[in-house]
Each structure stands twice: as C-alpha cells, then as structure tokens.
Amino acid sequence: MKYDVVIIGSGPAGSVTARFAADGEAKVLVIERRAEVGVPILCGEGISRKIDEWKIIEGKRWIAGRMDGARIYSPDKTCVTLGAEQAGDETGYVVYRDIFDQELARNAIKAGATFMMNTQAIGLIKEGDKIKGVRAKRFDGELKIEADIVVGADGVESKIGQWAGIDTRLDPKDLETCAQYTLTNIDVKDAYCDFYLGKEIAPGGYVWVFPKGKNIANVGIGILASLSEAGRAKKLLDDFIAKDPRMKNSSPIRFLAGAVPVANPVETVRDNLILIGDAARHVDPITGGGLTHCLEGGKIAGEVIAKAVKAKNFSQGFLSEYETRWKEAFGQKIKRNYLVKELMLDMDDKTFNKLANALKDVKFEEISTHSLVKEVAKHLPISAKLNALIKYRKEIKEIKKK
Ligand SMILES: Cc1cc2nc3c(=O)[nH]c(=O)nc-3n(C[C@H](O)[C@H](O)[C@H](O)COP(=O)(O)OP(=O)(O)OC[C@H]3O[C@@H](n4cnc5c(N)ncnc54)[C@H](O)[C@@H]3O)c2cc1C
C-alpha cells in the first residue's frame, strides 16, 4: 500500500487534515482503530460559534443546542456571567460529537480521502532514521502502509510522536482526568453553560453543566491527575450531582471517563512527520477545549501537506510552515493560558471568591478566555501577580534554552 499521506486517527484533527490534503490532490489514507468514527463519545461537546466563520463543517445535524452564554461560579457560589447580550454571536454550540466527527469524516471522503476502520497503527516503518510509513494491525493481520508523510492525529494517548523520537510524555500536573454523565430529566431552564470552580469541588479543574436540549445536559468534571487518585473524578462528580437540586430527579443515559492534556504543545514537525490535535497537545490549558484547534490546525496541516506533495518535498524545513502557521493562529493563546492555569493552581478558594466578587458586575465585551483573563489580571492580588511574573520568566528561559 502506498499513499502520499497516512493519517493515524479519525477524530476531528485527522479528518480535517485529510480533507484539506485531499482537496489539494494528495492521496490520503486515514486509519482508525475503532469500529465507528466518533464512537464512543469522549467529550463535553461544547464548541465556540467562531467555527461558523471557518466553513469547515456545514449543515445543522451535528448541533444539539445553542449556548447563549456562560456562568462561572466561585466556591462560595458568586456568579460571573458572560452573557449573549455582550457577546452577540460569539457564543457557542453543544454538539452531538459522534455526528460532528462523522460529518468531518464525510467531508474528507468527499474530497477524496480513504478511511480504513478497525486498523491500529503499531509502529513506524523506517529506513535508518527516515520515516517511510506505518505498520498496522487489522483484525488478525498486519499491514505495511508506505507514505511520504505520516500524521499523528492519535489523540491524548498518542504514540506516533514518541515512535518518531519526540518527547510527548505528560506530567500528571499537565493532564486532566475527566468523568461525565449525560443526565436526562434534569431541571435546566436556559441555554447557559455553567462552570463550578473550587479546590473541594474540582481540584485543579472544574465541574461543567452543558445543556444539550430540553431537560438534558452533559454534567462532567475535570481534575488534575497530580491532585487525584484513581476514581476521584467520578466520586467528586457524584457528590456534586447529589447536592444539586436541579439534578434531584435526573437519571444518566451515558457515562464516560477520559483524559485531556493541559500542557504546552510539543514539537509538531519532523522530516516526513506531522503531529496535530491532542497528539500535539493543542488543547486550551484553562478550559480543556481542543475542538476549535483541531479544526484550525487541521486546515493548516492539510494545506501544507498538499503543497509538500506537489513540491515532492517532505523535509522538516518544508513542513515547518505548518508549525509557523498554527503558532500564529493559536500558539500564543495556549502559551498564555498555560501560565494562567499554573497561576490558578496556586490560588486558594478565598482568592477565587474574591476574584468572582470583583468580576461579578463586569460587562464582558466578548465570551472568551482572553477577555476573562484580561479582567482577572486586573483584579489579581499582588502576590499572585508576582508569582505569574516569576513563572513567566522561567518559561521564557526554558524556551530560549530550547
Ligand atoms: C471528558 C472530556 C470532555 C471534553 N470536552 C470538550 C469540550 O466540551 N469541548 C472541546 O472543545 N473539547 C473537549 N474535550 C477535548 C476534545 O475531546 C479533544 O480535544 C478532541 O477530541 C481532540 O481531537 P483529536 O482528533 O486530536 O483526537 P481524538 O478525538 O481523541 O481522536 C483520536 C483518534 O485516534 C484513534 N487512535 C488512537 N491511537 C490509534 C492508533 N494507534 N491507530 C489507529 N487509531 C488510533 C482513536 O481511536 C481516536 O479515534 C474533552 C475531552 C474529554 C476527555
């Protein structure tokens, strides 16, 4: 088997990369170890409406509900509201993640990509140091798939980068462990997404309630792996649900457990290799949201791959256009939000309460972590500001060393 590009993983990152590479006439194969694209769902299913502008996914089948705003609750339940009245169209959707992923895959197939399910990458094909494709297991057999470019879109547990010699290990302080129920018969009245912060509620993370329609919502939790033993996320989530009157008569129709990287991105380009999505650690370290970056990054990766195939140049130098462009698009945001995440870890519940009190009457111009971070920075205690400065300097030194 010989392709221009083989993509490992049919999540949003893999499918969007496949679509734009195939649009540019590259011969693309996507391999996926699961039996069905997007199933099982491992997601809170929230996404910003800015994806409308990108025109990467059309139609409405994948939309479960529209978000009108967000409310953030501090440990003493002080509420900071980011409402639609300030944000206009800058709100979001709650999606059906299985349909969302399948729509993206359909678009890739329409553009000319081939998908192969039940096919798990088990190693790289190399000649000396040169990457020449992947080895894969399909049912009981083994396949050799030759390709000029291998794309690691294999999610949080990614192996592709590691096989190519890139350090993709995640420190427990850079990994959120998550649990989520989809609850029916829940008393949610409006289309606001709610976030609950606090060391007791969700150490190093938050609880979310994302309404998915009338009386149905995703209720989940993410907590830092460094602050939790096995099973703690589910236990804390169960405690939260037991205490919330809106959930008194509710019942789950789905449970899931998963992990999200909340780290700085890794090296994403080598000769004949690209990493994308969660595999590249392209997740917002504050929110744990990765979907928008999969779409934005996937489009860039696909376009650069198509150019590389036309130029027959698969070198790190040529492919580095991908790294330059994703850094321009959202690299700065991830770096800034990583620092804010670190800073939040040093804050106790009292500081969260004080901040929420200072922000509760602020009229936010838009719903984004950027506008929130800007306001938080204004109201941070001086000790926290100093901490941030020290961490920022350390970070800059590390980057310069690299
Ligand atoms: C509980 C939870 C809630 C979340 N909520 C949100 C949210 O509300 N909003 C948001 O934006 N983000 C959310 N995220 C993050 C979001 O789900 C990820 O950022 C997104 O799925 C990343 O997409 P991806 O394509 O990089 O990887 P994935 O969607 O993980 O896809 C990777 C694919 O690769 C396949 N694969 C892996 N290894 C191999 C192999 N060796 N061979 C073949 N196939 C392989 C996997 O089966 C999988 O299908 C959440 C994550 C979790 C766990």
Side-chain angles (χ1 to χ4, degrees):
M1 277 189 184
K2 172 81 178 86
Y3 288 83
D4 294 326
V5 48
V6 60
I7 297 173
I8 294 84
S10 70
S15 286
V16 176
T17 305
R19 172 197 171 163
F20 285 94
D23 262 348
E25 286 164 28
K27 191 177 172 214
V28 181
L29 175 70
V30 177
I31 63 169
E32 169 57 57
R33 66 181 173 190
R34 296 174 177 179
E36 186 176 353
V37 171
V39 179
I41 293 170
L42 285 175
C43 193
E45 304 181 294
I47 194 164
S48 159
R49 284 195 72 200
K50 72 178 172 198
I51 64 161
D52 287 349
E53 293 157 29
W54 302 340
K55 309 243 178 292
I56 293 176
I57 183 159
E58 296 86 21
K60 288 205 164 30
R61 264 179 10 100
W62 48 276
I63 300 172
R66 199 190 136 123
M67 283 182 212
D68 287 337
R71 285 181 293 241
I72 303 165
Y73 292 90
S74 70
D76 69 1
K77 298 282 183 294
T78 306
C79 175
V80 178
T81 305
L82 293 92
E85 44 305 348
Q86 297 106 35
D89 263 357
E90 286 296 313
T91 48
Y93 297 116
V94 180
V95 305
Y96 297 112
R97 182 60 203 273
D98 46 353
I99 302 177
F100 181 84
D101 283 20
Q102 286 169 16
E103 284 293 307
L104 294 173
R106 260 160 40 106
N107 284 342
I109 292 163
K110 225 191 307 170
T114 303
F115 276 53
M116 198 183 266
M117 306 303 294
N118 296 97
T119 309
Q120 180 175 6
I122 51 170
L124 293 174
I125 303 171
K126 286 189 185 174
E127 257 177 36
D129 276 348
K130 196 171 166 54
I131 296 168
K132 303 282 281 182
V134 288
R135 289 187 296 113
K137 211 170 76 182
R138 183 169 161 77
F139 300 108
D140 288 334
E142 219 180 286
L143 298 173
K144 275 190 177 170
I145 305 162
E146 285 179 40
D148 294 315
I149 301 175
V150 172
V151 176
D154 48 339
V156 59
E157 298 166 47
S158 177
K159 291 278 184 298
I160 302 297
Q162 196 186 316
W163 292 336
I166 296 172
D167 186 2
T168 56
R169 282 171 303 174
L170 282 164
D171 196 298
K173 76 174 181 51
D174 289 336
L175 187 72
E176 291 275 331
T177 58
C178 306
Q180 178 182 273
Y181 293 102
T182 301
L183 293 182
T184 56
N185 208 28
I186 176 174
D187 190 15
V188 283
K189 291 201 169 57
D190 52 23
Y192 271 64
C193 287
D194 291 332
F195 299 86
Y196 298 84
L197 303 178
K199 287 220 179 331
E200 303 289 316
I201 294 170
Y206 60 86
V207 165
W208 65 84
V209 178
F210 290 178
K212 225 181 151 178
K214 202 162 176 260
N215 301 119
I216 179 163
N218 288 335
V219 182
I221 188 170
I223 61 177
L224 272 194
S226 55
L227 304 174
S228 58
E229 68 282 0
R232 185 150 183 229
K234 181 180 174 296
K235 161 113 196 16
L236 287 170
L237 181 61
D238 288 340
D239 290 349
F240 181 91
I241 291 170
K243 285 184 201 145
D244 192 312
R246 292 171 302 176
M247 300 172 198
K248 204 169 132 226
N249 298 316
S250 69
S251 195
I253 53 167
R254 181 191 291 145
F255 175 76
L256 62 86
V260 188
V262 284
N264 271 312
V266 293
E267 200 187 330
T268 56
V269 172
R270 286 270 172 99
D271 288 343
N272 309 87
L273 180 97
I274 277 180
L275 297 183
I276 173 105
D278 280 16
R281 315 311 184 205
H282 277 175
V283 174
D284 182 328
I286 300 182
T287 64
L291 291 174
T292 52
H293 296 161
C294 286
L295 267 55
E296 236 176 332
K299 181 168 187 283
I300 298 169
E303 287 169 356
V304 173
I305 288 167
K307 275 194 202 171
V309 169
K310 279 192 183 126
K312 295 195 173 26
N313 187 342
F314 312 106
S315 66
Q316 181 169 9
F318 196 94
L319 298 177
S320 66
E321 181 189 332
Y322 159 63
E323 191 156 298
T324 308
R325 284 175 57 191
W326 73 249
K327 281 186 177 165
E328 276 166 16
F330 53 79
Q332 203 50 38
K333 172 181 152 195
I334 294 184
K335 214 190 287 173
R336 181 198 66 217
N337 287 2
Y338 183 79
L339 280 169
V340 177
K341 179 208 91 176
E342 293 276 284
L343 184 67
M344 283 168 74
L345 274 182
D346 296 335
M347 296 196 323
D348 56 15
D349 282 2
K350 261 196 200 155
T351 315
F352 276 125
N353 290 334
K354 263 196 210 154
L355 273 175
N357 248 300
L359 298 181
K360 68 183 190 313
D361 299 319
V362 171
K363 292 270 174 257
F364 287 91
E365 282 159 23
E366 50 166 346
I367 297 188
S368 68
T369 48
H370 187 209
S371 62
L372 192 62
V373 166
K374 256 192 343 205
E375 286 301 325
V376 167
K378 280 190 212 159
H379 294 90
L380 269 184
I382 190 80
S383 58
K385 279 185 185 159
L386 278 173
N387 258 344
L389 194 67
I390 293 163
K391 278 189 171 157
Y392 183 67
R393 285 199 160 156
K394 264 195 203 152
E395 181 90 357
I396 297 287
K397 265 192 199 158
E398 286 292 312
I399 291 168
K400 277 190 180 155
K401 248 196 265 167
K402 276 185 196 161

